[in-house]
Amino acid sequence: MKLSVIVATHNEEANIGKCLDAIKGIADEMIVADGESTDRTVEIAKAKGAMVLHMTNKKMFHINKEEARKKAKGDWILFLDADEIVTPELAKEIKLVLADVYHPATLNKQFAKHMRFIETRDGIKYSSQLPINGYFIARKNYFLGRYLMHSGVYPDGVIRLVRKDKAFWPCKDVHEQMSVDGGVSWLTEPMIHMADPTFSRYMERANRYTTLTADSLSKTKTGKDFFTIVNFMLWKPTITFLFLFFRHKGFMDGFSGFVWSLMSGLHYAMAYLKFLGADNFSK
């Protein structure tokens, strides 16, 4: 078996069908790791031919992804979220990888800049030398009516296509990359990420992510003194907004870019308020 596709879900009836339809032509196995959905997610997944693993709804989906990885039978694994869609162009690239005839190209300027950021943040280095055991895939994020191609968002590279026995999820942070033993490169075609077509959808996700950040603040024993409060409530939100909207040209994404930059800054304030208002955050 060449390719297993793993999708972690919780109440994704609006997205799971389109997600699975897009990869039917390349997947030898489709696994949906479902975290206690109460809508038609499981029903739709089964109707599309996916094997459903019933799991608890954990704060961090990576835990369910890792459990599903251990059960997958493919030599390669493609990890997706339910609101992500593999385009026909990306599917063709993946087929080349599975056939062992894909040769990583030199990164263009935008991808190379993003890769330097990832190397600094995560310590992952780009490789163009075979064999490659993991591939970054860019994402075109849909936010309030348009794809964000600036605002510090694109290409939003994530390691999603990996050799099963050469990669795993550390499950330490919601924004973590996969840990890959061996070379890591890029595919050139992006996937579509229907992350936040509405503001209510965005706030639903933001609530989950700010809770995870608050959990992290609790674990690291972040201070509650005056200067720390000013840092999280004023300084970080302001600097983040200015950095995304001006340095990363969020203004070129119009109103969507403004809202994204603003809410990205307010993430710190919301998470810190949750941290201040809770005695304990547990998994």
Side-chain angles (χ1 to χ4, degrees), residues 81-95:
D81 292 335
D83 56 4
E84 294 172 342
I85 300 173
V86 172
T87 65
E89 294 78 13
L90 176 57
K92 290 178 181 178
E93 274 196 300
I94 293 173
K95 286 181 179 180

Side-chain angles (χ1 to χ4, degrees), residues 9-249:
T9 60
H10 174 69
N11 289 343
E12 291 284 359
E13 66 178 9
N15 295 309
I16 189 61
K18 288 175 284 189
C19 175
L20 295 178
D21 283 341
I23 49 89
K24 275 186 175 180
I26 59 173
D28 298 291
E29 176 183 52
M30 298 188 299
I31 300 175
V32 170
D34 185 70
E36 301 175 306
S37 289
T38 56
D39 62 1
R40 297 178 60 246
T41 298
V42 170
E43 177 186 341
I44 295 171
K46 289 181 177 179
K48 297 293 183 180
M51 176 176 71
V52 176
L53 301 178
H54 297 277
M55 302 176 169
T56 57
N57 184 33
K58 302 175 182 66
K59 288 182 181 179
M60 190 186 301
F61 276 7
H62 296 175
I63 297 173
N64 285 355
K65 291 177 182 178
E66 177 60 15
E67 289 303 309
R69 182 194 67 83
K70 297 174 183 177
K71 299 178 185 297
K73 298 177 181 178
D75 301 314
W76 286 86
I77 299 180
L78 174 64
F79 289 94
L80 296 173
D81 292 335
D83 56 4
E84 294 172 342
I85 300 173
V86 172
T87 65
E89 294 78 13
L90 176 57
K92 290 178 181 178
E93 274 196 300
I94 293 173
K95 286 181 179 180
L96 295 177
V97 173
L98 301 180
D100 288 328
V101 295
Y102 184 79
H103 296 282
T106 301
L107 295 180
N108 65 33
K109 184 178 180 180
Q110 192 173 20
F111 279 35
K113 181 180 180 181
H114 188 61
M115 188 66 231
R116 289 193 294 271
F117 166 73
I118 290 174
E119 182 175 346
T120 301
R121 184 190 65 185
D122 302 327
I124 301 172
K125 295 185 177 182
Y126 170 80
S127 175
S128 59
Q129 300 296 316
L130 299 177
I132 301 297
N133 293 329
Y135 287 91
F136 281 95
I137 299 177
R139 298 194 295 180
K140 292 177 65 175
N141 291 284
Y142 191 78
F143 180 70
L144 303 185
R146 68 185 296 168
Y147 293 109
L148 295 179
M149 302 305 292
H150 304 281
S151 308
V153 179
Y154 191 78
D156 191 22
V158 284
I159 300 174
R160 290 296 184 80
L161 181 64
V162 298
R163 294 186 191 271
K164 179 190 174 182
D165 58 351
K166 297 294 184 180
F168 68 94
W169 291 97
C171 300
K172 295 179 180 179
D173 184 84
V174 68
H175 299 297
E176 71 190 4
Q177 298 285 0
M178 293 196 72
S179 178
V180 179
D181 179 12
V184 179
S185 188
W186 280 72
L187 299 181
T188 60
E189 293 292 338
M191 69 172 71
I192 300 299
H193 186 203
M194 300 300 294
D196 306 299
T198 65
F199 192 68
S200 60
R201 167 78 173 180
Y202 172 83
M203 289 305 299
E204 179 184 336
R205 284 158 33 87
N207 182 53
R208 182 169 73 248
Y209 291 144
T210 52
T211 296
L212 288 168
T213 300
D215 190 5
S216 178
L217 294 176
S218 180
K219 290 176 180 177
T220 55
K221 300 183 188 279
T222 300
K224 299 181 180 180
D225 57 278
F226 173 77
F227 293 104
T228 303
I229 292 174
V230 170
N231 184 39
F232 278 92
M233 298 299 297
L234 182 61
W235 180 249
K236 280 181 176 290
T238 302
I239 292 301
T240 299
F241 169 76
L242 294 175
F243 188 70
L244 295 180
F245 194 66
F246 293 104
R247 174 65 177 83
H248 283 283
K249 301 180 180 179

